Amino acid sequence: MKNQLSILGAALILGLSLVASSLIISNERSSSNEKARQTQIAQMQTEAKTQADILERSAASPSDSPLMTLAEAAQFLHLSEDQVLNIIKAEHEILSYNGSLSAIPYMKVDEQFMINRAELLNWVQSATLEKRVYFGTKITNK
């Protein structure tokens, strides 16, 4: 009888310890899940604020737009619009023969040239490193 009581007591202690450990683990998981959710919410709020700031800045100052008109690009490069057009024509001519030249990054929208600001800076570096010389609509390397 004494043996059965000790077995019953041990089983009761073992059962209670299993229940207690399960509760502790579930509380830790829920708190870590809650922390993860809070972290995700904070990241999403930060991203939303950053995007809102970018949109606000681009609306406030169109000069920060990623695209420039031909006139803006010419002013940015300290060239005339005709000079920029001649460079585009010269590079287009070379690209039609071989595609290895980096050209002024543009697209046309309703017959208007739109030039990518960031890629224009890359083009300037490339053209400078290659020491390109432009005469009218011809390119030479010196």
Side-chain angles (χ1 to χ4, degrees), residues 65-85:
S65 170
L67 292 177
M68 297 185 286
T69 63
L70 182 63
E72 290 169 336
Q75 183 179 5
F76 182 77
L77 295 170
H78 299 288
L79 299 172
S80 71
E81 288 183 45
D82 288 338
Q83 288 173 315
V84 175
L85 277 175

Side-chain angles (χ1 to χ4, degrees), residues 3-127:
N3 215 7
Q4 288 178 346
L5 276 175
S6 63
I7 292 174
L8 184 61
L12 184 63
I13 290 172
L14 183 62
L16 288 174
S17 64
L18 282 172
V19 170
S21 64
S22 296
L23 289 173
I24 290 170
I25 290 172
S26 69
N27 282 340
E28 286 178 4
R29 280 190 178 170
S30 67
S31 68
S32 68
N33 286 343
E34 183 62 30
K35 286 179 185 176
R37 275 190 230 117
Q38 288 175 352
T39 303
Q40 285 178 336
I41 290 170
Q43 286 175 343
M44 289 170 36
Q45 288 173 339
T46 303
E47 289 173 8
K49 185 179 182 322
T50 302
Q51 289 176 354
D53 289 346
I54 290 170
L55 287 173
E56 184 180 314
R57 272 187 272 135
S58 66
S61 68
S63 66
D64 291 340
S65 170
L67 292 177
M68 297 185 286
T69 63
L70 182 63
E72 290 169 336
Q75 183 179 5
F76 182 77
L77 295 170
H78 299 288
L79 299 172
S80 71
E81 288 183 45
D82 288 338
Q83 288 173 315
V84 175
L85 277 175
N86 284 337
I87 291 171
I88 289 173
K89 287 177 190 175
E91 290 175 342
H92 182 70
E93 216 173 281
I94 297 294
L95 281 172
S96 64
Y97 293 114
N98 64 19
S100 64
L101 178 72
S102 69
I104 290 181
Y106 74 92
M107 64 180 171
K108 281 183 101 172
V109 179
D110 296 330
E111 299 301 317
Q112 182 179 3
F113 286 94
M114 299 301 291
I115 299 170
N116 182 305
R117 180 183 302 272
E119 291 300 317
L120 184 61
L121 289 172
N122 291 337
W123 171 83
V124 168
Q125 287 180 331
S126 174

